[in-house]
Amino acid sequence: MTMIFDVAVIGAGAAGMMAASVAGQRGRRVVLIDHAKKLGEKIRISGGGRCNFTNTGTTSQQFVSQNPNFCRSALAAYTPTDFIRLVESYGIRWHEKHKGQLFCDDSSESIIQLLRQECVKGNVTWRMPCAVQGVQKTEHGYELATEQGLIRCAQLVIATGGMALPQVGATDFALRLARQFGLKVIEPRPALVPLTFDGVFWQEFVALSGVSAEVELSVALAPKKKISFLEDLLWTHRGLSGPGILQISSYWNPGEKIHINLAPHLDLQTTFLAAKQGNKQQLGNYLTGLLPKRLVEPWLAATAALDPSLLQKRLADLPDSVLRQLAEALSQWSLVPTGTAGYKKAEVMKGGVDTRELNQKTMATRAHPTLYFIGESVDVTGWLGGYNFQWAWASGVACGRAV
């Protein structure tokens, strides 16, 4: 049996449910389609199961895109305050954890149920689990061949996200469909993802697995421009992870160096030379007062930044040149990752439908004004910390108001 709707939304994730609910509550006849058996899996596992649902400091500055101004309009039209108001209307308790990051007090499930109920208010029709096998443009809109029969709609919204976390159902559906309709796609790759290193090279650092420290990480964006993050770094068996690495991974390109300052709050050269005067403390003991205890000796041995035997010498007995060398090594550690841990470990996909193909206020494609792309499928990638959810809400609302 063929069913006819005003709007079909493919993808029942954060952006898709938001768009469907807003459109439905405006009186549009909406069908929401998803191939997954379980609703909102990416929402469910986010934020350690508590869903980092927004960030109060959201601006366009926290997003990576070839067209960085594109997201401004949608973000201004639907702000973190707007979503917080919706959350509180459902009695969901929340707290701020770090740098404007807001989490549910209880479980991510409460956000999933909020979105489900918003769709109920809009009389949204569900087709789930239901795979879409093909999409064709027709004289009056679109025709979708699905596992549950033919669906016709006047307007079509693609909210199937990116390829991050394929183990919970992520696919490249949005990118394939964009190309089918002749839209340009910015080459996708994993983002907010751990960085990996050649096994032989990294063997020397394996002893540091599990060590964590607050550092400053940076990569060059241009000859005289760089991006930096002050966040925690975690050593792993395969490479580097932790919030700082996830952040910098969105800007890192293969073959480039990442730069790490292991003591970002100190001018180490000045600190070392000032502390040297009459200091009978061994260098090793002194450094463990500044850096994680497990870090110092293995890191020095692995990097050959300094002969580890010097750790046993008194600070006062070390030449100034040695202390300067050590200060430089600790504050300007540079290395070249081999790659990333891939989509299975990535939190989001970078790249996607080129924003120059879209109307920034409605998310409609310029070539096909009744076809929309929202959320992670678009070349707008947020930093770690709730920004990608805010983009999902904002782009979903922009689309839901426009269809």
Side-chain angles (χ1 to χ4, degrees), residues 111-123:
I111 299 296
I112 298 171
Q113 292 308 316
L114 176 158
L115 294 166
R116 185 196 285 273
Q117 287 305 308
E118 285 295 294
C119 286
V120 169
K121 289 179 183 178
N123 295 311

Side-chain angles (χ1 to χ4, degrees), residues 55-76:
N55 192 299
T56 57
T58 302
T59 71
S60 62
Q61 300 302 306
Q62 292 91 27
F63 293 85
V64 185
S65 173
Q66 289 201 2
N67 180 11
N69 292 324
F70 174 83
C71 60
R72 282 185 178 179
S73 180
L75 291 173

Side-chain angles (χ1 to χ4, degrees), residues 390-402:
Q390 187 56 39
W391 170 244
W393 315 138
S395 61
V397 167
C399 173
R401 289 171 175 170

Side-chain angles (χ1 to χ4, degrees), residues 216-370:
E216 182 183 48
L217 290 122
S218 60
V219 293
L221 299 180
K224 293 185 179 181
K225 187 179 179 183
K226 68 177 183 178
I227 182 83
S228 300
F229 292 95
L230 184 66
E231 292 277 8
D232 285 352
L233 171 71
L234 175 68
W235 278 260
T236 73
H237 282 88
R238 293 187 60 201
L240 296 172
S241 188
I245 285 293
L246 299 190
Q247 295 282 40
I248 214 71
S249 71
S250 295
Y251 293 90
W252 175 78
N253 293 306
E256 293 180 348
K257 289 181 179 180
I258 60 170
H259 306 278
I260 304 172
N261 182 347
L262 292 168
H265 301 293
L266 297 171
D267 178 340
L268 285 181
Q269 182 169 305
T270 301
T271 301
F272 287 168
L273 295 179
K276 172 183 174 178
Q277 306 306 318
N279 196 327
K280 296 181 180 180
Q281 191 176 21
Q282 288 184 336
L283 176 61
N285 292 334
Y286 173 72
L287 288 176
T288 56
L290 302 177
L291 300 163
K293 188 174 182 179
R294 280 185 57 203
L295 170 64
V296 179
E297 190 168 352
W299 184 84
L300 288 174
T303 60
L306 191 72
D307 184 345
S309 67
L310 292 175
L311 294 172
Q312 312 304 319
K313 292 187 177 294
R314 297 189 309 175
L315 197 60
D317 296 336
L318 291 171
D320 288 359
S321 60
V322 169
L323 294 177
R324 289 192 182 97
Q325 178 189 345
L326 178 60
E328 182 176 346
L330 289 168
S331 60
Q332 299 180 39
W333 184 31
S334 297
L335 63 171
V336 180
T338 307
T340 76
Y343 285 116
K344 283 190 175 182
K345 297 293 184 180
E347 297 205 8
V348 292
M349 177 188 79
K350 180 181 176 181
V353 178
D354 192 334
T355 56
R356 286 165 290 200
E357 300 276 11
L358 306 176
N359 181 309
Q360 64 182 359
K361 292 184 178 180
T362 67
M363 303 294 122
T365 60
R366 298 185 187 281
H368 310 280
T370 53

Side-chain angles (χ1 to χ4, degrees), residues 148-174:
Q148 296 186 24
L150 205 61
I151 291 175
R152 291 197 177 106
C153 58
Q155 299 183 86
L156 178 61
V157 179
I158 307 302
T160 52
M163 294 184 285
L165 301 174
Q167 60 271 36
V168 297
T171 72
D172 65 346
F173 181 92

